[in-house]
Amino acid sequence: MKTFNKNFASKFALAAFLALGTLAVTSCSKDNQNGQEVPDGKNQIIVRIAGISDGEEVKTKGSNRTSSAQHNLQLVQGNGFDALIGVDNQLPVTEIATAGQSGIKAASGTRAASPVASGTKYRLFLYKKNGTSYNFEKSVELSSGTETAVNVTDGATYKWVALSYNSTTVQVPEMQNLALPGNTDVLRATNEFTVSGAAVPININFSRVFARIGIELNTMGMFAPINSATVAVTGNNAKTGTLDVATGTFVGALTDVTAALTYADFVTAPGSDGQQKIAYYYTADQTLQNLNVSVSALKIKLENGTERSFGATLSKGQEITPERGKNHRFLLGITESPLTFGGVQWSRSNLYYQAGYNPYRFYHFNQPTTDAKSFFSYGAAKPGVLGTYASPKDPCALVYPAGLWKTPAKADLDPINSNGLTGLLGDLDLNILGSTVDLLVDAQNALAANVAGATSPVGAGYSEFTATGVNAAYGTATSATNKLRFNFNGFMRDVSLVEDLITLDLGSTGGKYTAFWTNDRSLLSPLEPIAGLGVTHYLGNRYAGILGVNAGYKGFRSTNVLGITLLNSVNVIKSSLMNVRCVRNGAWNPNAAGYNPNPVLPN
């Protein structure tokens, strides 16, 4: 209960709340001007809409269940794509306006109070205290962004209830037992106040009356907006009922309502580049539901504007027990399937960084490129900059969903390495002597066997392997994304000038070498000034041979000696710049405590 006895508080509170864009509901004196009652500056109710609680800390009456941020996720292998599927309560932080509703969006970075759209209609019910009971006195039709004068009694204590259909067009009627419309985002808030000659601020933080269930379809793991799909949802049993407005409890039996959902009901999340779509339904029912979602005929828009179509159908069921006032999410996160060769699951193309939404991506077409956004120093989270010695990063782990991919380990290179070179010879530092790298590589080329299973046509600028995971959505069986292809993009051997942003200079390596990082520090090179300051990377090329002898594709584990230097008072790792090719992380556990599929992105 709030009691205000200072008259000056009225003026202060009124000014403060109106400055914040508040809604003022004032008591009025019996004076009037031009037939209108004039507020007397006393006994005012100043109503401010704080927002909508997402209910994560709310307990339903009679329930000891608490909401948990823990995910229950699994990766389901599909035909051409995989899907991260599970149930949790983590609806997108930036909320989505559902079709036909008022367009309420969440405040950035918070789940506690999603702001209410201007013009949203709601009704304020006032109950005057009489002894130990409260008697209904009146109700007022309100909408956010307007002011209305209302008489209240000085010295009285009131209970207020605010009720809304979260709509800019439909108002709540004045009824004490209200038959709620089905599958609607009904909002309610309540509290008490006492008037004592001064303004009383009312801070309305709505809670949802129904359970809100969101079905999220995203293609963040494919790095492409959804153009279209066929979506079928079954088992989404919605119920409504009659609400006792004063107590917030349902009276009588619940009734079934239609909550049919198709792809047309999915709305794009603001700022998601079309990669996240969600559809909601609302229910008063709190019994277990067997929800099933199937997705077929999925079409996504690629980086060159063309379309990639997946004919396969993915169908998956999950159990959800709705809880009134809380969020529930059924997640289908579509991710690109890997290519498997030698037991290692590879990404279909190299990693690159695109600033903005969902920044860590794989190229859609795996073509040769000198794109600076795909050349990383060792341990750096972003291209063209140096990693920090204290906390080197794995950029592959920042691809959605977080941790599913990783930078390869040294052992992952075994199936694409040349035979015949082991130990020291197989891990020579091929970059330390700068321009003489070609001589060192050719010395190894002459001794090494061709990589088993590799095809590298003369002048093609790549090597490739026949892998499993071929799918027509990625083109023909011989396309660059259906073959495990490594393009000879080259690498930047030396970073002579330590700076915040490095200008890419591939020298003569472009078209000659394929090079990408591993996550293993090398201990074998005698040229390392300090043990552990070398890192293994892959280096491949097509060897012409001496008079054609032993010609073919050669691949090596090589060592890049790292330097530690000071940049802007931070110790950074000085290394070459090269591509990053990701592999699936066999240790990934989406149900680990605290796991979130959304990566924690660097600044």
Side-chain angles (χ1 to χ4, degrees), residues 46-282:
I46 306 171
V47 182
R48 180 178 186 270
I49 306 298
I52 305 171
S53 169
D54 278 334
E56 305 315 318
E57 302 301 325
V58 175
K59 288 188 179 180
T60 303
K61 184 176 181 180
S63 171
N64 290 321
R65 292 177 294 173
T66 57
S67 184
S68 171
Q70 179 67 37
H71 296 260
N72 178 22
L73 300 171
Q74 59 177 315
L75 189 71
V76 177
Q77 293 185 341
N79 187 2
F81 59 80
D82 297 339
L84 183 66
I85 294 177
V87 171
D88 59 19
N89 60 13
Q90 300 300 293
L91 291 169
V93 173
T94 301
E95 286 193 356
I96 305 155
T98 54
Q101 293 184 335
S102 58
I104 292 178
K105 300 177 181 179
S108 176
T110 178
R111 299 182 56 81
S114 303
V116 175
S118 178
T120 298
K121 295 180 179 295
Y122 67 101
R123 183 178 292 273
L124 186 70
F125 296 81
L126 294 173
Y127 301 85
K128 189 175 181 181
K129 189 172 185 179
N130 182 14
T132 59
S133 62
Y134 290 86
N135 300 322
F136 174 70
E137 182 173 279
K138 67 182 68 178
S139 73
V140 186
E141 293 185 6
L142 303 173
S143 61
S144 56
T146 61
E147 298 180 24
T148 307
V150 176
N151 287 319
V152 293
T153 303
D154 189 14
T157 296
Y158 286 86
K159 173 181 178 177
W160 60 265
V161 175
L163 204 65
S164 173
Y165 292 155
N166 199 357
S167 170
T168 57
T169 58
V170 181
Q171 181 59 278
V172 173
E174 183 181 280
M175 300 179 67
Q176 295 306 306
N177 285 336
L178 182 60
L180 297 179
N183 198 25
T184 300
D185 193 13
V186 181
L187 308 174
R188 182 180 181 274
T190 186
N191 212 326
E192 295 181 3
F193 66 87
T194 296
V195 183
S196 184
V200 179
I202 297 176
N203 210 39
I204 295 181
N205 192 22
F206 283 115
S207 295
R208 290 188 163 86
V209 173
F210 294 137
R212 180 172 70 155
I213 300 172
I215 300 172
E216 180 183 338
L217 175 64
N218 79 50
T219 49
M220 295 173 65
M222 285 184 156
F223 331 107
I226 304 169
N227 272 359
S228 63
T230 298
V231 180
V233 181
T234 58
N236 51 324
N237 302 318
K239 292 180 181 290
T240 188
T242 298
L243 185 73
D244 183 323
V245 172
T247 65
T249 59
F250 283 89
V251 293
L254 300 178
T255 57
D256 293 325
V257 294
T258 301
L261 294 175
T262 67
Y263 179 74
D265 297 296
F266 284 78
V267 183
T268 299
S272 71
D273 189 36
Q275 296 179 36
Q276 283 179 277
K277 291 180 179 288
I278 193 163
Y280 292 114
Y281 72 96
Y282 303 85

Side-chain angles (χ1 to χ4, degrees), residues 311-555:
T313 298
L314 175 70
S315 182
K316 189 65 180 177
Q318 292 282 298
E319 292 183 347
I320 292 180
T321 302
E323 187 170 357
R324 294 171 194 158
K326 293 191 178 180
N327 288 317
H328 305 270
R329 176 177 69 162
F330 188 128
L331 171 67
L332 293 96
I334 308 298
T335 186
E336 189 172 283
S337 60
L339 291 170
T340 303
F341 180 77
V344 181
Q345 294 180 307
W346 294 87
S347 61
R348 294 176 183 267
S349 58
N350 289 338
L351 176 73
Y352 74 101
Y353 177 87
Q354 177 69 55
Y357 173 81
N358 196 22
Y360 291 86
R361 308 180 177 194
F362 303 143
Y363 288 105
H364 287 143
F365 297 102
N366 195 26
Q367 296 300 305
T369 182
T370 58
D371 183 6
K373 297 193 296 293
S374 63
F375 287 84
F376 293 73
S377 70
Y378 173 75
K382 294 181 181 180
V385 297
L386 298 178
T388 60
Y389 179 70
S391 57
K393 305 298 183 185
D394 182 351
C396 290
L398 301 175
V399 176
Y400 182 92
L404 174 63
W405 299 93
K406 67 168 187 172
T407 299
K410 186 176 179 179
D412 293 325
L413 304 182
D414 288 347
I416 58 173
N417 271 348
S418 292
N419 294 320
L421 292 173
T422 58
L424 178 61
L425 185 60
D427 290 276
L428 279 176
D429 188 333
L430 301 178
N431 308 314
I432 193 65
L433 299 180
S435 61
T436 63
V437 63
D438 296 336
L439 297 175
L440 287 173
V441 172
D442 274 349
Q444 285 195 264
N445 285 338
L447 297 172
N450 292 333
V451 179
T455 300
S456 184
V458 176
Y462 63 81
S463 67
E464 65 182 17
F465 301 82
T466 298
T468 58
V470 174
N471 189 273
Y474 299 96
T476 66
T478 59
S479 71
T481 46
N482 269 328
K483 291 282 190 177
L484 180 59
R485 180 177 292 184
F486 299 101
N487 293 305
F488 297 168
N489 293 330
F491 62 101
M492 186 172 178
R493 296 169 177 155
D494 302 307
V495 179
S496 57
L497 179 64
V498 176
E499 54 190 346
D500 289 313
L501 184 62
I502 300 165
T503 302
L504 185 66
D505 180 6
L506 300 175
S508 62
T509 65
K512 184 180 294 186
Y513 298 110
T514 182
F516 55 86
W517 294 111
T518 77
N519 59 12
D520 282 337
R521 294 290 179 92
S522 174
L523 301 175
L524 297 177
S525 174
L527 299 176
E528 291 184 42
I530 303 175
L533 284 185
V535 64
T536 299
H537 68 88
Y538 184 73
L539 189 70
N541 72 116
R542 192 187 190 286
Y543 177 53
I546 300 173
L547 299 177
V549 176
N550 201 25
Y553 179 70
K554 317 290 183 179

Side-chain angles (χ1 to χ4, degrees), residues 6-18 46 199:
K6 299 295 185 180
N7 197 40
F8 75 85
S10 171
K11 296 180 181 179
F12 177 81
L14 180 61
F17 274 83
L18 291 181
I46 306 171

Side-chain angles (χ1 to χ4, degrees), residues 26-42:
T26 63
S27 71
C28 300
S29 71
K30 295 183 180 179
D31 297 330
N32 65 74
Q33 292 179 359
N34 301 320
Q36 301 293 321
E37 290 184 315
V38 180
D40 62 6
K42 299 179 181 180

